[in-house]
Amino acid sequence: MNYDAMIIMDMQKALLEDHPYNEETLLKNIKCLQEACRKHNIPVILVRHDRGSGDDLERGTVGWQICDEIAPLPEEVIIDKNFN
């Protein structure tokens, strides 16, 4: 059984609005790894955080969505969480 997978945590639009340190390099590196995993049929799993009603990371809001640069493919798994 193969246990390889790439897990991408909390790369959501609202969190990137604060422009984290080295944002461009971070996104470039994640995208590069993501593409390599896809090429080699290694699953890519994305985890998305929901902070609840009224927050920038509220389920269904624009800020809650995965950032466009690393958007999941339709067949990729997204896991929603509401605890850090």
Side-chain angles (χ1 to χ4, degrees):
M1 181 175 276
N2 189 345
Y3 290 99
D4 292 336
M6 178 180 188
I7 299 173
I8 302 173
M9 298 288 299
D10 301 343
M11 292 301 296
Q12 294 162 260
K13 292 180 180 184
L15 296 174
L16 292 173
E17 286 177 358
D18 291 334
H19 303 290
Y21 175 76
N22 234 354
E23 175 183 5
E24 288 181 30
T25 301
L26 171 69
L27 288 170
K28 179 181 170 188
N29 289 341
I30 291 172
K31 183 71 176 171
C32 181
L33 289 169
Q34 185 183 41
E35 289 172 356
C37 287
R38 289 171 175 166
K39 180 179 177 184
H40 292 92
N41 295 315
I42 297 171
V44 175
I45 301 166
L46 296 102
V47 179
R48 185 171 49 192
H49 188 68
D50 173 13
R51 286 191 190 149
S53 181
D55 192 273
D56 289 346
L57 292 176
E58 177 182 352
R59 178 184 303 272
T61 64
V62 172
W64 176 74
Q65 300 299 322
I66 304 293
C67 68
D68 296 333
E69 293 86 347
I70 58 167
L73 298 176
E75 66 272 13
E76 291 176 333
V77 174
I78 300 174
I79 297 172
D80 292 318
K81 66 180 179 72
N82 52 11
F83 294 102
N84 287 329

